[in-house]
Amino acid sequence: MSFTVAVAGASGYAGGELLRLLAAHPEFILTTVTAHSNAGQSVGSVHPHLRSLADMVFVETTPENLNGHDIVFLALPHGASGALTAQLDEGVLVVDCGADHRLESEEDWAAFYGGEFYGAWSYGVPELLHADGTRQRDRLIGATRIAAPGCNASTVELSLAPGIAAGVIEATDIVSVLAVGPSGAGRALKTNLLASEILGSANPYAVGGTHRHIPEIIQGLRWAGATEATVSFTPVLVPMSRGILATTTARLAPGVDADGIRAAWEAAYAEEPFVHVLPAGSFPRTADVLGANTALIGLAVDEAAGRVIIVTAVDNLAKGTAGAAIQSANIALGLAETCGLNINGVAP
């Protein structure tokens, strides 16, 4: 069975990644691509790498152009999708890659985003553990409204959830520092993202608990069983176009050793097709997941400090955004979760 697909905001980086992955999906038929300032242009003129879609033409992002499809993927700035989705047919599967429907707390939305609060949809991180032993994928089956995650948030959630759920780490002194590529900030022209500003430099931003993904991370840790969580989260822009390398540390729970840590993470992800725990002593690189819907995790225990170190690599545009969106759509529609998605990266 095949499904017709529209992608809104398809001229941006996240939208382009959706197009790249959808082009290889055997059950999804891409029929409509929309844009704002690029409406009327061809896909090939905006995304020259998408040769199989080069002749498609972007149309305006309107409810009329999006309705009538089986699936609509939204790759719009935060605040832009909430009002639009209210005008889409109830029967269509809508997957929002923006932030508008990720947070359950209206207070958190007001504090970190602002503007109208549109409410939470089913959260699109299938592998995320819950305290009752289930996973987030159980809440995606049959869903018609899905919120794809923030790339930084899902990376940290996947890093920590096994330890929280198993009770082998503490949730009140978590520190996470992420090296991130600038494509996560979108395609719009920004001075701080110019090549002359980031090449040869590492640039921290949103320092001091101000990053918008923090409440999303804490929400995920709460689902995993943390009654109270505190996360010191610092992203750092580095000169790679795409990718996230998250180094996260947490205090060990009393009596837990390195064997207990590894057992918790390996048990959590042993059967997962897209989240892999590396052997002891091995740690991932962002190059290892380039273009893949894969999260790679390396673990170490600093016995002197009494902390676990979790190093996780993802492609922010693939597993961090578009891949998670398509993976979640597969689950919602009853397709094989891996349909149209690749675990293999591109190297060198």
Side-chain angles (χ1 to χ4, degrees):
M1 182 176 181
S2 59
F3 302 87
T4 58
V5 176
V7 177
S11 60
Y13 288 141
E17 187 71 355
L18 278 166
L19 299 187
R20 183 181 74 86
L21 297 176
L22 289 168
H25 198 292
E27 305 296 340
F28 291 171
I29 302 173
L30 182 65
T31 58
T32 301
V33 293
T34 83
H36 177 54
S37 60
N38 289 302
Q41 297 187 46
S42 69
V43 169
S45 66
V46 176
H47 299 300
H49 61 296
L50 299 178
R51 301 314 307 163
S52 67
L53 306 175
D55 293 334
M56 293 190 75
V57 175
F58 296 108
V59 298
E60 292 185 4
T61 303
T62 65
E64 293 75 19
N65 285 332
L66 297 175
N67 276 322
H69 298 83
D70 298 313
I71 311 168
V72 174
F73 291 96
L74 303 175
L76 302 170
H78 83 268
S81 61
L84 178 63
T85 55
Q87 302 177 68
L88 298 182
D89 297 337
E90 290 186 4
V92 65
L93 170 59
V94 183
V95 186
D96 186 6
C97 294
D100 289 19
H101 301 98
R102 294 173 187 159
L103 297 181
E104 295 178 323
S105 168
E106 185 172 358
E107 182 180 352
D108 283 344
W109 176 265
F112 284 84
Y113 290 93
E116 186 170 352
F117 178 66
Y118 291 99
W121 289 355
S122 299
Y123 189 57
V125 182
E127 303 90 351
L128 183 60
L129 284 163
H130 283 248
D132 62 2
T134 63
R135 296 178 193 252
Q136 185 61 22
R137 65 167 48 85
D138 300 328
R139 294 152 179 85
L140 293 167
I141 298 171
T144 59
R145 296 291 188 269
I146 295 172
C151 53
N152 298 311
S154 61
T155 305
V156 177
E157 291 164 356
L158 292 172
S159 298
L160 291 165
I164 298 291
V168 297
I169 63 173
E170 298 180 1
T172 54
D173 183 21
I174 293 167
V175 178
S176 190
V177 179
L178 281 66
V180 301
S183 59
R187 197 170 189 173
L189 182 62
K190 301 178 181 73
T191 301
N192 68 308
L193 301 180
L194 294 173
S196 56
E197 300 291 334
I198 65 172
L199 291 180
S201 180
N203 304 288
Y205 66 101
V207 178
T210 62
H211 197 283
R212 289 168 167 170
H213 288 174
I214 291 173
E216 186 180 339
I217 293 169
I218 293 175
Q219 175 177 273
L221 299 186
R222 185 171 63 249
W223 292 340
T227 55
E228 183 180 357
T230 57
V231 178
S232 176
F233 174 89
T234 306
V236 181
L237 281 176
V238 297
M240 59 183 181
S241 62
R242 53 200 287 170
I244 296 173
L245 188 71
T247 302
T248 304
T249 76
R251 287 202 304 257
L252 302 177
V256 174
D257 60 13
D259 290 339
I261 289 292
R262 178 158 290 277
W265 267 261
E266 289 183 345
Y269 295 133
E271 304 300 322
E272 290 294 346
F274 296 120
V275 183
H276 303 158
V277 179
L278 299 181
S282 296
F283 298 92
R285 309 170 304 165
T286 56
D288 301 331
V289 295
L290 182 66
N293 192 55
T294 310
L296 298 182
I297 298 176
L299 297 166
V301 170
D302 185 336
E303 295 183 359
R307 300 182 74 89
V308 60
I309 299 95
I310 311 111
V311 181
T312 303
V314 305
D315 183 324
N316 59 295
L317 294 177
K319 180 59 174 166
T321 305
I326 293 171
Q327 182 183 349
S328 298
N330 285 340
I331 295 168
L333 295 168
L335 300 174
E337 188 169 335
T338 57
C339 192
L341 297 170
N342 198 339
I343 65 170
N344 296 319
V346 179

